Amino acid sequence: MTSVTRRRRLTSPANPASIVDLPDQDFEWISNQQDFERVVDKASKAQRVALDTEFHRERTYWPSVALVQIRVGGEIFLVDPTEVDLSSFAPVLASETTFVMHAALQDIEVLERVCGTGPQQIFDTQIAAGFLGMTTPSLSALVERYLGLRLPKGDRLTDWFERPLRLNQREYAANDVRYLFELHDALMADLEGLGRKDWAQDECDLLIRKVKPGVAPELAWTRIKEARHLRGRSKAIAAVIAEWREETAQRRNVPTRFVLSDLAVVGIAQRAPSRATELKSIRGLDGRSLKDTSGQEILDLVSRGMSLDPTQIATLEPEESPQLEKEMRAAVTLVSAWIAQVAKNEDLDPALLGTRSDISDLLRGVTTSRLAAGWRSDLVGNHVGDLVAGKAALAFDAHQGLVLEERFSAKNQNNENFKP
């Protein structure tokens, strides 16, 4: 057991009248199953658990978890997954326990991979901070703002599979969960003061639904920027090649680029080779790319892509989803500027309120647009229709910036219900 004392009394910058009393914090290295089961038992009885993971995926398709940090009450545990079976933690993750995490999206993916499930109740401190005007703050920035402590900088290139981990590595890892409960309390107080507690919780709940273990192979082509601009047979070939690449990478547990580069996928789609001699003339496709891949296999894939109707390939867009009309594209820029102003006025992270993609979805009538429901709809979404319909206009005010105003006309000059 490695023990580090952390007892401090300090004034919180966020609330000068309050005193933050951080108790002695010990972290314990967990490297056998019996000790881990003890941690699981403690976590199963707690109302909240602070959680973080360290993982690598530079040379693998699936993230390889190297360390799991858990805080229960005043105790911190560093769990070594190379020695411990983490699956017994699944019932705790699936319970009603609140897991306090920071920037949890990738951690949830890791946990789903190794435990079979991710947390069902999350409070993400980074998301919560976005509702208080902070733009994707780091954990160290939040700790300094709310607790007045400066965390030591870690080495972002740390090999978390190194054993034994050095003391400074363990200390850095422990800090990732050491102050999450204090941040949870402070952020909740500020959110409640602004009436945004439910907003933040809804967004944290949405985060859980976002996580998907890997990419559906049939949609892999949508992640290649250049492929999204292809048309006709070329797009169909790119979709087939990208699907095969994704499945191959998953099976070998290697990054997709180790199978074929994006450049090679697009090059094959554009050239549509029919003979093996044509393959080596395609940019991004050389002897190294073909080392573990049969050239004939690629040619067969090209042939299959050529036989497909472009409408048969899988897409992220629902079939009934309308395209954004050309004359409405300028409206996206206009609405985006106004939403950025609203975010500033409301002390919100602009990306949290609405992105250009969200605006485009709303204007196209996509029912799943984030701006079409909930607090976003109340704050901005309901007014966008008036703006693009000409019932409202944007004006510049030296003190308030862009202001949405009713546009008076013979039809609406008597309308007294307009409330931007």
Side-chain angles (χ1 to χ4, degrees):
M1 177 173 177
T2 305
S3 176
V4 179
T5 300
R6 284 285 185 278
R7 182 174 289 279
R8 297 183 178 89
R9 287 180 63 82
L10 48 93
T11 301
S12 167
N15 186 358
S18 70
I19 298 295
V20 177
D21 192 356
L22 300 181
D24 289 342
Q25 299 279 332
D26 295 335
F27 59 83
E28 181 180 353
W29 184 263
I30 303 295
S31 58
N32 67 71
Q33 200 65 33
Q34 184 177 357
D35 285 343
F36 182 58
E37 297 304 329
R38 173 171 49 85
V39 176
V40 171
D41 183 62
K42 287 176 180 287
S44 67
K45 298 173 183 176
Q47 291 186 335
R48 64 178 179 178
V49 172
L51 185 63
D52 191 48
T53 69
E54 304 296 343
F55 59 90
H56 296 301
R57 69 186 316 165
E58 292 84 1
R59 302 188 66 81
T60 61
Y61 182 90
W62 306 107
S64 301
V65 60
L67 191 67
V68 177
Q69 303 99 293
I70 300 172
R71 177 181 171 185
V72 182
E75 297 178 280
I76 294 176
F77 306 97
L78 306 184
V79 183
D80 183 357
T82 67
E83 300 289 342
V84 167
D85 180 2
L86 296 173
S87 62
S88 60
F89 198 55
V92 185
L93 292 170
S95 72
E96 295 183 0
T97 299
T98 296
F99 285 86
V100 186
M101 307 173 73
H102 182 84
L105 186 62
Q106 293 188 80
D107 298 303
I108 299 172
E109 179 188 352
V110 169
L111 293 165
E112 288 190 344
R113 179 74 180 162
V114 297
C115 297
T117 184
Q120 300 305 297
Q121 304 289 334
I122 286 180
F123 182 89
D124 189 313
T125 54
Q126 187 177 78
I127 288 177
F131 288 96
L132 300 171
M134 291 168 269
T135 303
T136 57
S138 65
L139 178 63
S140 59
L142 286 180
V143 169
E144 184 171 359
R145 172 169 177 159
Y146 280 98
L147 305 179
L149 299 174
R150 289 191 177 181
L151 298 180
K153 291 184 178 180
D155 180 1
R156 66 184 183 87
L157 298 179
T158 286
D159 178 3
W160 291 107
F161 279 105
E162 179 184 343
R163 295 293 184 269
L165 286 176
R166 299 184 302 276
L167 179 60
N168 69 311
Q169 291 174 309
R170 299 186 186 199
E171 173 70 10
Y172 176 82
N175 280 340
D176 284 342
V177 295
R178 190 186 301 282
Y179 305 110
L180 286 179
F181 290 161
E182 288 73 28
L183 290 178
H184 183 200
D185 294 338
L187 290 166
M188 283 290 284
D190 284 354
L191 289 169
E192 288 180 347
L194 292 174
R196 295 178 180 175
K197 175 183 172 183
D198 290 342
W199 292 8
Q201 191 56 61
D202 286 348
E203 200 66 16
C204 290
D205 293 343
L206 181 62
L207 180 68
I208 297 172
R209 298 194 293 274
K210 279 183 181 179
V211 177
K212 295 180 181 178
V215 173
E218 64 272 18
L219 291 172
W221 71 272
T222 65
R223 293 199 308 176
I224 304 174
K225 183 178 179 181
E226 292 80 5
R228 295 199 297 269
H229 299 299
L230 296 175
R231 294 290 181 268
R233 302 294 185 204
S234 294
K235 178 177 285 190
I237 294 171
V240 170
I241 296 289
E243 179 178 1
W244 166 82
R245 180 181 72 161
E246 200 76 22
E247 290 174 339
T248 302
Q250 290 179 358
R251 187 176 66 254
R252 296 179 185 170
N253 194 25
V254 297
T256 54
R257 68 180 184 278
F258 284 16
V259 180
L260 279 181
S261 68
D262 286 357
L263 182 62
V265 173
V266 175
I268 293 169
Q270 290 175 327
R271 297 284 294 276
S274 59
R275 296 187 299 273
T277 54
E278 298 177 62
L279 292 175
K280 290 187 178 181
S281 65
I282 295 174
R283 286 189 63 192
L285 188 64
D286 51 26
R288 289 177 298 175
S289 301
L290 297 172
K291 181 179 179 182
D292 299 318
T293 301
S294 165
Q296 186 57 50
E297 186 174 16
I298 292 179
L299 294 176
D300 291 343
L301 291 166
V302 171
S303 178
R304 182 153 66 89
M306 291 286 288
S307 69
L308 289 177
D309 187 295
T311 61
Q312 292 178 280
I313 68 173
T315 177
L316 291 171
E317 294 287 347
E319 291 184 7
E320 68 277 7
S321 179
Q323 296 297 311
L324 185 66
E325 297 176 4
K326 286 185 177 181
E327 57 268 24
M328 292 296 290
R329 292 175 185 172
V332 175
T333 301
L334 183 68
V335 174
S336 180
W338 174 61
I339 285 181
Q341 183 68 60
V342 173
K344 179 179 179 181
N345 294 346
E346 296 290 335
D347 214 12
L348 286 166
D349 177 355
L352 192 61
L353 179 54
T355 64
R356 289 182 67 90
S357 178
D358 294 327
I359 297 166
S360 178
D361 285 347
L362 183 68
L363 295 179
R364 290 189 296 122
V366 177
T367 56
T368 56
S369 170
R370 294 198 305 169
L371 295 175
W375 64 272
R376 292 183 179 87
S377 176
D378 295 337
L379 195 58
V380 293
N382 288 339
H383 303 303
V384 171
D386 289 330
L387 183 60
V388 297
K391 296 179 181 179
L394 288 178
F396 178 76
D397 182 276
H399 302 290
Q400 300 180 59
L402 291 177
V403 180
L404 191 67
E405 296 180 340
E406 179 182 6
R407 188 179 182 191
F408 288 97
S409 69
K411 291 184 178 181
N412 64 16
Q413 62 183 349
N414 295 320
N415 180 8
E416 297 178 358
N417 297 322
F418 185 83
K419 295 179 181 180

